[in-house]
Structure formats: structure tokens, C-alpha cells
């Protein structure tokens, strides 16, 4: 077989090398980001996540919010993580279970964030204006779910940070992420980031992996 016909002669471009779940999620995020650049106010108003008592809330927002991002670095980090870890998970779980996992983690993150917002409001730590008028966007809940799933399935695989340049096992990275999100969420040291949504994505992701593992349905057949 000639070299240029490797992989069955499939020369469909860069995205053709991605499994279908990751590829389609990536494309929808890119298209949504382009739409955001065209009309940010309308996209945020319709598709970002608002609490259910907000006049801006729409029934589809717990799903659509995870495809909207608040800036270039926001979408780059999430899509980079999706490609790096999501491709591995999809190859292990299969496309159907991977896509199910992605949405369960994302919706779970939204649910967790909404509950925490109401708790903070009832405690007097959040004003009514911030409760009703603050949108939440981003795939981070799903991405953090993917990260914990990767740590559960490949706990001893070694990952290296760019900065600082240290190498640790995946399971250690997961605990570090949990600790950072929990600490910053409680202390509100990084305002404007939905830390408990991240933790919610991890919690629901963990629960789904545990459920599939108990049922003997975890690995791709």
C-alpha cells in the first residue's frame, strides 16, 4: 500500500482522525463561538444558563450553555482538554456512551451550580440581581467530568503540566483539581468562575462511571 493511501486512503482532513463524538462536539462548540462573535448579546440571552426563576431562563439552557464560551482562552482550554482526554474515553467507552457521559456531566454541572446559587442567595451571600441576571457558560462541567473519568480509568498514567513542568499520575492530578475547585469555590478567591459547576460535573461523571462499572457495562464491547 502506498504511503499516501495509509488508513484506507482516507484523506478527509484533520478532523477525520477524530472519533465522531469528539468531532461533532468540537464542531458545535466552534460554530457556537462564531455565532457569539456575530451577536454576543442574543446568543448569551438565549443559550447561556440562567437560574429557572430568571426572566432569561429557557428550558433548553441546561444543555446549550455548555456550547457557549466566554472568550478565546476559555474555548481553547476546554476544546484542548476535550481532544486530549475525550478521544481516549470515546475509544474506550464507545461513541454512544461517551456522548451520554458528556451530557450527563454537563447537565449535572448545571444542576449543581443552580442549587449552590440558590443556597448562597438564601444565605444572603448573593444578591437577587446576581442570582437572576448572571449567565453561566462553558463546557467546563463536562470537561471536568471527562478528567475524573480519565483519572478513574487510567489512574497510573503519567501527565505532565506545561507550567510548572511537573509529571504526576492522573489520579493525583484529579485530586489536585478537586482540591483547587473546592478551595476556590468556598473562599471565592477566583470570582466569576463556576467552581461548583466544575465539581458537579466531576460528581456526576464519577457516579456514571461507577454505575457502568457496577453493571459491567463500562468497557466498549
Amino acid at each position: 500500500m502506498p504511503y499516501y493511501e495509509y488508513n484506507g486512503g482516507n484523506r478527509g482532513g484533520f478532523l477525520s482522525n477524530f472519533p465522531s463524538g469528539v468531532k461533532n462536539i468540537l464542531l458545535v462548540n466552534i460554530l457556537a463561538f462564531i455565532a457569539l462573535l456575530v451577536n454576543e448579546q442574543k446568543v448569551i440571552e438565549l443559550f447561556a444558563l440562567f437560574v429557572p426563576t430568571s426572566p432569561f431562563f429557557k428550558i433548553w439552557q441546561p444543555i446549550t450553555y455548555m456550547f457557549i464560551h466566554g472568550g478565546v482562552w476559555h474555548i481553547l482550554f476546554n476544546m484542548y482538554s476535550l481532544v486530549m482526554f475525550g478521544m481516549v474515553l470515546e475509544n474506550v467507552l464507545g461513541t454512544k456512551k461517551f456522548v451520554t457521559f458528556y451530557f450527563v456531566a454537563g447537565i449535572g454541572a448545571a444542576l449543581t451550580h443552580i442549587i449552590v446559587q440558590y443556597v448562597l442567595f438564601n444565605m444572603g451571600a448573593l444578591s437577587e440581581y446576581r442570582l437572576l441576571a448572571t449567565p453561566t457558560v462553558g463546557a467546563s462541567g463536562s470537561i471536568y467530568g471527562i478528567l475524573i473519568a480519565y483519572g478513574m480509568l487510567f489512574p497510573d498514567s503519567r501527565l505532565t503540566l506545561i507550567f510548572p513542568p511537573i509529571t504526576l499520575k492522573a489520579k493525583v492530578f484529579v485530586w489536585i483539581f478537586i482540591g483547587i475547585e473546592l478551595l476556590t469555590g468556598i473562599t471565592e478567591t477566583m470570582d466569576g468562575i463556576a467552581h461548583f459547576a466544575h465539581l458537579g460535573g466531576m460528581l456526576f461523571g464519577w457516579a456514571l462511571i461507577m454505575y457502568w462499572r457496577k453493571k459491567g457495562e463500562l468497557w466498549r464491547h
Side-chain angles (χ1 to χ4, degrees):
M1 178 183 295
Y3 177 78
Y4 59 82
E5 290 185 355
Y6 180 73
N7 196 27
N10 182 5
R11 292 173 290 176
F14 176 66
L15 287 177
S16 66
N17 297 317
F18 290 9
S20 59
V22 168
K23 177 172 64 177
N24 288 317
I25 292 171
L26 181 63
L27 287 173
V28 173
N29 275 278
I30 292 172
L31 290 174
F33 190 70
I34 293 172
L36 188 74
L37 295 177
V38 173
N39 193 334
E40 179 177 352
Q41 181 176 347
K42 196 67 175 178
V43 169
I44 292 294
E45 183 178 323
L46 286 175
F47 301 117
L49 177 66
F50 292 88
V51 296
T53 51
S54 169
F56 301 110
F57 178 76
K58 306 290 188 300
I59 192 66
W60 55 79
Q61 290 174 353
I63 294 176
T64 58
Y65 89 100
M66 67 183 80
F67 296 101
I68 311 300
H69 288 86
V72 173
W73 289 111
H74 192 196
I75 189 172
L76 281 179
F77 172 79
N78 280 342
M79 294 306 98
Y80 174 78
S81 299
L82 171 67
V83 170
M84 289 295 294
F85 301 103
M87 288 178 63
V88 177
L89 285 184
E90 184 171 352
N91 288 330
V92 168
L93 300 175
T95 297
K96 183 178 180 180
K97 284 211 290 285
F98 173 75
V99 172
T100 298
F101 180 90
Y102 188 89
F103 281 102
V104 167
I107 294 171
L111 179 62
T112 304
H113 176 71
I114 288 172
I115 291 173
V116 170
Q117 291 297 98
Y118 280 120
V119 169
L120 292 175
F121 172 70
N122 289 326
M123 291 173 56
L126 189 68
S127 69
E128 185 178 17
Y129 175 80
R130 286 190 62 187
L131 175 69
L132 300 180
T134 303
T136 301
V137 297
S140 299
S142 295
I143 297 302
Y144 273 77
I146 288 174
L147 290 176
I148 197 169
Y150 184 90
M152 293 172 71
L153 300 182
F154 308 99
D156 294 322
S157 65
R158 304 185 73 82
L159 304 174
T160 302
L161 287 174
I162 297 175
F163 183 82
I166 57 174
T167 300
L168 296 171
K169 290 183 177 181
K171 60 185 177 183
V172 177
F173 269 114
V174 167
W175 281 110
I176 289 174
F177 276 120
I178 291 174
I180 290 173
E181 292 301 319
L182 189 59
L183 178 63
T184 51
I186 293 174
T187 60
E188 296 185 351
T189 53
M190 297 177 67
D191 196 21
I193 299 177
H195 300 289
F196 287 101
H198 298 171
L199 290 169
M202 298 180 92
L203 176 62
F204 276 76
W206 170 84
L208 187 53
I209 292 294
M210 292 297 292
Y211 172 76
W212 281 335
R213 180 176 282 170
K214 184 176 181 180
K215 297 267 292 184
E217 300 174 353
L218 181 59
W219 303 101
R220 184 176 191 170
H221 298 295

